[in-house]
Amino acid sequence: PQMEAWVVERFGKYHDILEPGLNLLIPVVDDIRYVHSLKEIIIEVPSQSAITMDNVTLHLDGVLYVKITDPYQASYGVEDPEYAVAQLAQTTMRSELGKLSLDMVFKERANLNSYIVDAINHAARPWGVSCLRCEIRDISLPDRVVDDMQRQVSAERKKRAS
C-alpha cells in the first residue's frame, strides 16, 4: 500500500503496521483494522462565529492541511483523528480571535494562522497527527459593523478635506 499504513490486529490485539511491499497475513487470525493515508489531508473547518476582544461577532471558516505521522497513535490515540483536529481548530480559532480587537484581526491574520497550527500540533501530538498549515479562508463582519466602518472612513475623509 503506497502512501498508506494498514494497522493489523491479530486476535483483536495490535500486531503490526504494514509498509509498502510484499506482506503476508494469516487468514482468520489477522485483520486489517485501520487504513490511514500518509498523504497530506485537507480538512475544511466549517463556518463559525467568534467574538473579538471588543465584542464584535465575526463569522469565519478555514482549511487545515494535516498529515498522519504515527499510524499506531492515529488508530488507538483518538477515535477519529480528522474530526478531532477539526474540532480543535474551531475552538482554537475562537479563543485566539477573542484575544484580538477587530482592527487587529485583519492585520494579524498570518500570526493567527501560525498560532492555530502551533496549538493543534501541541494538542494532537498524542494522536499521531501533525498540522502542516492552517488558512483562514473568509472573515465576514455583520452588515451593521461594515456600515459603521464605511461611515467612519467617509467622516475621516471629509475631516481631512476640510
mmCIF file of all heavy atoms in Angstrom, residues 38-79:
data_model
loop_
_atom_site.group_PDB
_atom_site.id
_atom_site.type_symbol
_atom_site.label_atom_id
_atom_site.label_comp_id
_atom_site.label_asym_id
_atom_site.label_seq_id
_atom_site.Cartn_x
_atom_site.Cartn_y
_atom_site.Cartn_z
ATOM 1 N N LEU A 38 -1.137 8.294 4.282
ATOM 2 C CA LEU A 38 0.023 9.045 4.753
ATOM 3 C C LEU A 38 0.255 10.303 3.921
ATOM 4 O O LEU A 38 1.253 11.002 4.094
ATOM 5 C CB LEU A 38 1.264 8.152 4.742
ATOM 6 C CG LEU A 38 1.157 6.905 5.630
ATOM 7 C CD1 LEU A 38 2.417 6.077 5.520
ATOM 8 C CD2 LEU A 38 0.878 7.273 7.070
ATOM 9 N N LYS A 39 -0.674 10.580 3.017
ATOM 10 C CA LYS A 39 -0.599 11.803 2.219
ATOM 11 C C LYS A 39 -1.127 12.971 3.046
ATOM 12 O O LYS A 39 -1.732 12.787 4.096
ATOM 13 C CB LYS A 39 -1.452 11.668 0.963
ATOM 14 C CG LYS A 39 -1.005 10.576 0.022
ATOM 15 C CD LYS A 39 -1.976 10.469 -1.124
ATOM 16 C CE LYS A 39 -1.653 9.284 -1.989
ATOM 17 N NZ LYS A 39 -2.668 9.095 -3.043
ATOM 18 N N GLU A 40 -0.920 14.156 2.531
ATOM 19 C CA GLU A 40 -1.459 15.345 3.175
ATOM 20 C C GLU A 40 -2.977 15.333 3.034
ATOM 21 O O GLU A 40 -3.514 15.102 1.957
ATOM 22 C CB GLU A 40 -0.874 16.583 2.490
ATOM 23 C CG GLU A 40 -0.946 17.818 3.306
ATOM 24 C CD GLU A 40 -0.110 18.933 2.716
ATOM 25 O OE1 GLU A 40 1.091 18.750 2.507
ATOM 26 O OE2 GLU A 40 -0.693 20.003 2.467
ATOM 27 N N ILE A 41 -3.667 15.560 4.153
ATOM 28 C CA ILE A 41 -5.129 15.523 4.184
ATOM 29 C C ILE A 41 -5.645 16.947 4.342
ATOM 30 O O ILE A 41 -5.160 17.702 5.178
ATOM 31 C CB ILE A 41 -5.622 14.653 5.360
ATOM 32 C CG1 ILE A 41 -5.068 13.245 5.255
ATOM 33 C CG2 ILE A 41 -7.139 14.631 5.409
ATOM 34 C CD1 ILE A 41 -5.232 12.427 6.525
ATOM 35 N N ILE A 42 -6.638 17.294 3.534
ATOM 36 C CA ILE A 42 -7.236 18.633 3.600
ATOM 37 C C ILE A 42 -8.542 18.524 4.375
ATOM 38 O O ILE A 42 -9.417 17.738 4.022
ATOM 39 C CB ILE A 42 -7.489 19.188 2.193
ATOM 40 C CG1 ILE A 42 -6.177 19.258 1.428
ATOM 41 C CG2 ILE A 42 -8.162 20.543 2.267
ATOM 42 C CD1 ILE A 42 -6.333 19.482 -0.045
ATOM 43 N N ILE A 43 -8.647 19.300 5.447
ATOM 44 C CA ILE A 43 -9.843 19.288 6.291
ATOM 45 C C ILE A 43 -10.462 20.679 6.273
ATOM 46 O O ILE A 43 -9.794 21.660 6.598
ATOM 47 C CB ILE A 43 -9.493 18.896 7.741
ATOM 48 C CG1 ILE A 43 -8.856 17.512 7.786
ATOM 49 C CG2 ILE A 43 -10.735 18.950 8.616
ATOM 50 C CD1 ILE A 43 -8.337 17.132 9.158
ATOM 51 N N GLU A 44 -11.720 20.737 5.910
ATOM 52 C CA GLU A 44 -12.418 22.020 5.897
ATOM 53 C C GLU A 44 -12.962 22.313 7.293
ATOM 54 O O GLU A 44 -13.628 21.470 7.904
ATOM 55 C CB GLU A 44 -13.555 21.973 4.888
ATOM 56 C CG GLU A 44 -14.207 23.301 4.674
ATOM 57 C CD GLU A 44 -15.164 23.286 3.497
ATOM 58 O OE1 GLU A 44 -14.890 22.582 2.518
ATOM 59 O OE2 GLU A 44 -16.168 23.990 3.591
ATOM 60 N N VAL A 45 -12.664 23.498 7.791
ATOM 61 C CA VAL A 45 -13.194 23.934 9.082
ATOM 62 C C VAL A 45 -14.479 24.691 8.782
ATOM 63 O O VAL A 45 -14.452 25.714 8.098
ATOM 64 C CB VAL A 45 -12.189 24.832 9.833
ATOM 65 C CG1 VAL A 45 -12.774 25.289 11.154
ATOM 66 C CG2 VAL A 45 -10.875 24.108 10.039
ATOM 67 N N PRO A 46 -15.622 24.194 9.253
ATOM 68 C CA PRO A 46 -16.896 24.830 8.905
ATOM 69 C C PRO A 46 -17.011 26.250 9.448
ATOM 70 O O PRO A 46 -16.320 26.628 10.389
ATOM 71 C CB PRO A 46 -17.944 23.915 9.533
ATOM 72 C CG PRO A 46 -17.228 23.018 10.459
ATOM 73 C CD PRO A 46 -15.773 23.050 10.118
ATOM 74 N N SER A 47 -17.905 26.999 8.824
ATOM 75 C CA SER A 47 -18.129 28.385 9.233
ATOM 76 C C SER A 47 -18.614 28.428 10.683
ATOM 77 O O SER A 47 -19.414 27.609 11.113
ATOM 78 C CB SER A 47 -19.167 29.027 8.322
ATOM 79 O OG SER A 47 -19.358 30.368 8.680
ATOM 80 N N GLN A 48 -18.104 29.403 11.412
ATOM 81 C CA GLN A 48 -18.450 29.543 12.827
ATOM 82 C C GLN A 48 -18.396 31.012 13.195
ATOM 83 O O GLN A 48 -17.815 31.821 12.482
ATOM 84 C CB GLN A 48 -17.477 28.751 13.681
ATOM 85 C CG GLN A 48 -16.056 29.262 13.556
ATOM 86 C CD GLN A 48 -15.089 28.505 14.426
ATOM 87 O OE1 GLN A 48 -15.476 27.958 15.432
ATOM 88 N NE2 GLN A 48 -13.841 28.487 14.031
ATOM 89 N N SER A 49 -18.994 31.331 14.316
ATOM 90 C CA SER A 49 -18.922 32.709 14.787
ATOM 91 C C SER A 49 -17.954 32.790 15.956
ATOM 92 O O SER A 49 -17.783 31.835 16.706
ATOM 93 C CB SER A 49 -20.311 33.206 15.201
ATOM 94 O OG SER A 49 -20.798 32.416 16.251
ATOM 95 N N ALA A 50 -17.309 33.938 16.058
ATOM 96 C CA ALA A 50 -16.374 34.189 17.149
ATOM 97 C C ALA A 50 -16.521 35.645 17.565
ATOM 98 O O ALA A 50 -16.883 36.498 16.755
ATOM 99 C CB ALA A 50 -14.954 33.902 16.707
ATOM 100 N N ILE A 51 -16.235 35.917 18.822
ATOM 101 C CA ILE A 51 -16.379 37.280 19.351
ATOM 102 C C ILE A 51 -14.996 37.826 19.657
ATOM 103 O O ILE A 51 -14.206 37.184 20.353
ATOM 104 C CB ILE A 51 -17.255 37.274 20.614
ATOM 105 C CG1 ILE A 51 -18.641 36.731 20.268
ATOM 106 C CG2 ILE A 51 -17.357 38.672 21.204
ATOM 107 C CD1 ILE A 51 -19.550 36.538 21.452
ATOM 108 N N THR A 52 -14.707 39.017 19.128
ATOM 109 C CA THR A 52 -13.407 39.644 19.351
ATOM 110 C C THR A 52 -13.366 40.263 20.743
ATOM 111 O O THR A 52 -14.375 40.310 21.448
ATOM 112 C CB THR A 52 -13.128 40.731 18.303
ATOM 113 O OG1 THR A 52 -14.119 41.751 18.430
ATOM 114 C CG2 THR A 52 -13.149 40.162 16.902
ATOM 115 N N MET A 53 -12.195 40.781 21.089
ATOM 116 C CA MET A 53 -11.989 41.389 22.399
ATOM 117 C C MET A 53 -12.906 42.605 22.605
ATOM 118 O O MET A 53 -13.328 42.886 23.718
ATOM 119 C CB MET A 53 -10.517 41.796 22.541
ATOM 120 C CG MET A 53 -10.126 42.250 23.914
ATOM 121 S SD MET A 53 -8.352 42.439 24.088
ATOM 122 C CE MET A 53 -8.011 43.768 22.960
ATOM 123 N N ASP A 54 -13.231 43.311 21.515
ATOM 124 C CA ASP A 54 -14.103 44.482 21.623
ATOM 125 C C ASP A 54 -15.569 44.145 21.303
ATOM 126 O O ASP A 54 -16.334 44.993 20.871
ATOM 127 C CB ASP A 54 -13.590 45.639 20.770
ATOM 128 C CG ASP A 54 -13.188 45.210 19.371
ATOM 129 O OD1 ASP A 54 -13.293 44.014 19.063
ATOM 130 O OD2 ASP A 54 -12.753 46.079 18.591
ATOM 131 N N ASN A 55 -15.953 42.876 21.521
ATOM 132 C CA ASN A 55 -17.338 42.396 21.425
ATOM 133 C C ASN A 55 -17.975 42.533 20.051
ATOM 134 O O ASN A 55 -19.160 42.852 19.937
ATOM 135 C CB ASN A 55 -18.231 43.064 22.486
ATOM 136 C CG ASN A 55 -17.868 42.633 23.871
ATOM 137 O OD1 ASN A 55 -17.479 41.483 24.078
ATOM 138 N ND2 ASN A 55 -17.973 43.546 24.819
ATOM 139 N N VAL A 56 -17.215 42.292 18.993
ATOM 140 C CA VAL A 56 -17.751 42.256 17.642
ATOM 141 C C VAL A 56 -17.803 40.787 17.224
ATOM 142 O O VAL A 56 -16.826 40.056 17.363
ATOM 143 C CB VAL A 56 -16.867 43.057 16.657
ATOM 144 C CG1 VAL A 56 -17.396 42.934 15.246
ATOM 145 C CG2 VAL A 56 -16.797 44.508 17.084
ATOM 146 N N THR A 57 -18.947 40.370 16.715
ATOM 147 C CA THR A 57 -19.104 38.986 16.282
ATOM 148 C C THR A 57 -18.653 38.853 14.830
ATOM 149 O O THR A 57 -19.132 39.573 13.957
ATOM 150 C CB THR A 57 -20.577 38.544 16.409
ATOM 151 O OG1 THR A 57 -20.980 38.697 17.764
ATOM 152 C CG2 THR A 57 -20.738 37.098 16.001
ATOM 153 N N LEU A 58 -17.740 37.936 14.591
ATOM 154 C CA LEU A 58 -17.236 37.652 13.248
ATOM 155 C C LEU A 58 -17.672 36.255 12.843
ATOM 156 O O LEU A 58 -17.861 35.383 13.699
ATOM 157 C CB LEU A 58 -15.708 37.683 13.228
ATOM 158 C CG LEU A 58 -14.991 38.937 13.672
ATOM 159 C CD1 LEU A 58 -13.501 38.682 13.706
ATOM 160 C CD2 LEU A 58 -15.301 40.060 12.715
ATOM 161 N N HIS A 59 -17.784 36.029 11.555
ATOM 162 C CA HIS A 59 -18.018 34.686 11.024
ATOM 163 C C HIS A 59 -16.792 34.320 10.199
ATOM 164 O O HIS A 59 -16.349 35.104 9.368
ATOM 165 C CB HIS A 59 -19.280 34.648 10.158
ATOM 166 C CG HIS A 59 -20.517 34.926 10.937
ATOM 167 N ND1 HIS A 59 -21.120 33.988 11.740
ATOM 168 C CD2 HIS A 59 -21.261 36.049 11.065
ATOM 169 C CE1 HIS A 59 -22.173 34.516 12.318
ATOM 170 N NE2 HIS A 59 -22.287 35.778 11.925
ATOM 171 N N LEU A 60 -16.243 33.140 10.464
ATOM 172 C CA LEU A 60 -15.041 32.756 9.741
ATOM 173 C C LEU A 60 -15.050 31.260 9.469
ATOM 174 O O LEU A 60 -15.739 30.485 10.129
ATOM 175 C CB LEU A 60 -13.786 33.137 10.526
ATOM 176 C CG LEU A 60 -13.478 32.373 11.794
ATOM 177 C CD1 LEU A 60 -11.979 32.394 12.021
ATOM 178 C CD2 LEU A 60 -14.148 33.006 12.972
ATOM 179 N N ASP A 61 -14.295 30.882 8.454
ATOM 180 C CA ASP A 61 -14.078 29.474 8.156
ATOM 181 C C ASP A 61 -12.643 29.319 7.679
ATOM 182 O O ASP A 61 -11.942 30.298 7.436
ATOM 183 C CB ASP A 61 -15.082 28.944 7.129
ATOM 184 C CG ASP A 61 -14.994 29.663 5.794
ATOM 185 O OD1 ASP A 61 -14.191 30.581 5.656
ATOM 186 O OD2 ASP A 61 -15.750 29.295 4.883
ATOM 187 N N GLY A 62 -12.211 28.082 7.578
ATOM 188 C CA GLY A 62 -10.817 27.868 7.218
ATOM 189 C C GLY A 62 -10.574 26.489 6.650
ATOM 190 O O GLY A 62 -11.487 25.671 6.496
ATOM 191 N N VAL A 63 -9.308 26.244 6.357
ATOM 192 C CA VAL A 63 -8.862 24.964 5.818
ATOM 193 C C VAL A 63 -7.611 24.548 6.566
ATOM 194 O O VAL A 63 -6.728 25.373 6.818
ATOM 195 C CB VAL A 63 -8.541 25.087 4.306
ATOM 196 C CG1 VAL A 63 -8.035 23.778 3.751
ATOM 197 C CG2 VAL A 63 -9.743 25.545 3.531
ATOM 198 N N LEU A 64 -7.556 23.277 6.929
ATOM 199 C CA LEU A 64 -6.382 22.708 7.592
ATOM 200 C C LEU A 64 -5.714 21.710 6.664
ATOM 201 O O LEU A 64 -6.393 20.979 5.945
ATOM 202 C CB LEU A 64 -6.781 21.960 8.864
ATOM 203 C CG LEU A 64 -7.316 22.755 10.018
ATOM 204 C CD1 LEU A 64 -7.754 21.792 11.110
ATOM 205 C CD2 LEU A 64 -6.266 23.684 10.552
ATOM 206 N N TYR A 65 -4.400 21.670 6.714
ATOM 207 C CA TYR A 65 -3.623 20.678 5.982
ATOM 208 C C TYR A 65 -2.880 19.860 7.029
ATOM 209 O O TYR A 65 -2.009 20.387 7.716
ATOM 210 C CB TYR A 65 -2.645 21.358 5.028
ATOM 211 C CG TYR A 65 -3.353 22.189 3.983
ATOM 212 C CD1 TYR A 65 -3.670 23.517 4.221
ATOM 213 C CD2 TYR A 65 -3.722 21.635 2.772
ATOM 214 C CE1 TYR A 65 -4.325 24.281 3.280
ATOM 215 C CE2 TYR A 65 -4.382 22.388 1.819
ATOM 216 C CZ TYR A 65 -4.679 23.702 2.073
ATOM 217 O OH TYR A 65 -5.338 24.448 1.135
ATOM 218 N N VAL A 66 -3.261 18.596 7.176
ATOM 219 C CA VAL A 66 -2.679 17.742 8.206
ATOM 220 C C VAL A 66 -2.103 16.482 7.570
ATOM 221 O O VAL A 66 -2.427 16.133 6.439
ATOM 222 C CB VAL A 66 -3.710 17.356 9.297
ATOM 223 C CG1 VAL A 66 -4.229 18.574 10.009
ATOM 224 C CG2 VAL A 66 -4.842 16.557 8.724
ATOM 225 N N LYS A 67 -1.254 15.822 8.344
ATOM 226 C CA LYS A 67 -0.641 14.586 7.889
ATOM 227 C C LYS A 67 -0.539 13.635 9.073
ATOM 228 O O LYS A 67 -0.197 14.055 10.181
ATOM 229 C CB LYS A 67 0.748 14.886 7.332
ATOM 230 C CG LYS A 67 1.379 13.747 6.597
ATOM 231 C CD LYS A 67 2.640 14.213 5.912
ATOM 232 C CE LYS A 67 3.138 13.110 5.014
ATOM 233 N NZ LYS A 67 4.286 13.547 4.234
ATOM 234 N N ILE A 68 -0.837 12.373 8.847
ATOM 235 C CA ILE A 68 -0.708 11.370 9.895
ATOM 236 C C ILE A 68 0.758 10.950 9.953
ATOM 237 O O ILE A 68 1.327 10.502 8.952
ATOM 238 C CB ILE A 68 -1.630 10.168 9.642
ATOM 239 C CG1 ILE A 68 -3.070 10.638 9.796
ATOM 240 C CG2 ILE A 68 -1.312 9.016 10.581
ATOM 241 C CD1 ILE A 68 -4.118 9.593 9.588
ATOM 242 N N THR A 69 1.362 11.159 11.116
ATOM 243 C CA THR A 69 2.782 10.845 11.284
ATOM 244 C C THR A 69 3.000 9.520 11.992
ATOM 245 O O THR A 69 4.035 8.897 11.823
ATOM 246 C CB THR A 69 3.483 11.954 12.078
ATOM 247 O OG1 THR A 69 2.789 12.141 13.323
ATOM 248 C CG2 THR A 69 3.491 13.260 11.298
ATOM 249 N N ASP A 70 2.031 9.097 12.808
ATOM 250 C CA ASP A 70 2.150 7.837 13.543
ATOM 251 C C ASP A 70 0.833 7.077 13.414
ATOM 252 O O ASP A 70 -0.137 7.385 14.131
ATOM 253 C CB ASP A 70 2.474 8.119 15.012
ATOM 254 C CG ASP A 70 2.727 6.855 15.809
ATOM 255 O OD1 ASP A 70 2.500 5.746 15.271
ATOM 256 O OD2 ASP A 70 3.142 6.975 16.972
ATOM 257 N N PRO A 71 0.770 6.087 12.519
ATOM 258 C CA PRO A 71 -0.494 5.362 12.313
ATOM 259 C C PRO A 71 -0.994 4.639 13.567
ATOM 260 O O PRO A 71 -2.198 4.525 13.779
ATOM 261 C CB PRO A 71 -0.163 4.352 11.217
ATOM 262 C CG PRO A 71 1.062 4.864 10.557
ATOM 263 C CD PRO A 71 1.791 5.666 11.574
ATOM 264 N N TYR A 72 -0.087 4.166 14.406
ATOM 265 C CA TYR A 72 -0.499 3.485 15.635
ATOM 266 C C TYR A 72 -1.263 4.451 16.544
ATOM 267 O O TYR A 72 -2.343 4.141 17.022
ATOM 268 C CB TYR A 72 0.720 2.921 16.372
ATOM 269 C CG TYR A 72 0.373 2.276 17.687
ATOM 270 C CD1 TYR A 72 -0.095 0.967 17.730
ATOM 271 C CD2 TYR A 72 0.475 2.974 18.888
ATOM 272 C CE1 TYR A 72 -0.440 0.364 18.931
ATOM 273 C CE2 TYR A 72 0.134 2.384 20.095
ATOM 274 C CZ TYR A 72 -0.325 1.083 20.107
ATOM 275 O OH TYR A 72 -0.677 0.501 21.299
ATOM 276 N N GLN A 73 -0.702 5.634 16.766
ATOM 277 C CA GLN A 73 -1.357 6.628 17.624
ATOM 278 C C GLN A 73 -2.654 7.131 16.989
ATOM 279 O O GLN A 73 -3.632 7.395 17.686
ATOM 280 C CB GLN A 73 -0.426 7.811 17.895
ATOM 281 C CG GLN A 73 0.749 7.471 18.748
ATOM 282 C CD GLN A 73 0.362 7.256 20.199
ATOM 283 O OE1 GLN A 73 -0.786 7.100 20.556
ATOM 284 N NE2 GLN A 73 1.368 7.233 21.055
ATOM 285 N N ALA A 74 -2.661 7.283 15.657
ATOM 286 C CA ALA A 74 -3.876 7.743 14.980
ATOM 287 C C ALA A 74 -4.991 6.709 15.095
ATOM 288 O O ALA A 74 -6.169 7.057 15.090
ATOM 289 C CB ALA A 74 -3.579 8.044 13.512
ATOM 290 N N SER A 75 -4.627 5.440 15.226
ATOM 291 C CA SER A 75 -5.620 4.373 15.361
ATOM 292 C C SER A 75 -6.130 4.235 16.782
ATOM 293 O O SER A 75 -7.321 4.058 17.015
ATOM 294 C CB SER A 75 -5.023 3.037 14.921
ATOM 295 O OG SER A 75 -4.602 3.097 13.589
ATOM 296 N N TYR A 76 -5.215 4.288 17.740
ATOM 297 C CA TYR A 76 -5.574 3.972 19.117
ATOM 298 C C TYR A 76 -5.547 5.178 20.056
ATOM 299 O O TYR A 76 -5.965 5.066 21.202
ATOM 300 C CB TYR A 76 -4.645 2.880 19.657
ATOM 301 C CG TYR A 76 -4.744 1.604 18.856
ATOM 302 C CD1 TYR A 76 -3.719 1.209 18.014
ATOM 303 C CD2 TYR A 76 -5.875 0.812 18.938
ATOM 304 C CE1 TYR A 76 -3.815 0.040 17.272
ATOM 305 C CE2 TYR A 76 -5.983 -0.351 18.201
ATOM 306 C CZ TYR A 76 -4.943 -0.733 17.367
ATOM 307 O OH TYR A 76 -5.057 -1.877 16.626
ATOM 308 N N GLY A 77 -5.071 6.332 19.593
ATOM 309 C CA GLY A 77 -4.988 7.514 20.450
ATOM 310 C C GLY A 77 -6.259 8.329 20.498
ATOM 311 O O GLY A 77 -6.551 9.003 21.473
ATOM 312 N N VAL A 78 -7.044 8.281 19.410
ATOM 313 C CA VAL A 78 -8.281 9.054 19.317
ATOM 314 C C VAL A 78 -9.215 8.314 18.360
ATOM 315 O O VAL A 78 -8.756 7.608 17.461
ATOM 316 C CB VAL A 78 -7.989 10.502 18.849
ATOM 317 C CG1 VAL A 78 -7.483 10.540 17.430
ATOM 318 C CG2 VAL A 78 -9.187 11.404 19.008
ATOM 319 N N GLU A 79 -10.508 8.470 18.566
ATOM 320 C CA GLU A 79 -11.487 7.735 17.761
ATOM 321 C C GLU A 79 -11.429 8.137 16.283
ATOM 322 O O GLU A 79 -11.369 7.294 15.416
ATOM 323 C CB GLU A 79 -12.890 7.987 18.316
ATOM 324 C CG GLU A 79 -13.976 7.184 17.660
ATOM 325 C CD GLU A 79 -13.897 5.696 17.972
ATOM 326 O OE1 GLU A 79 -13.438 5.330 19.061
ATOM 327 O OE2 GLU A 79 -14.307 4.913 17.100
#
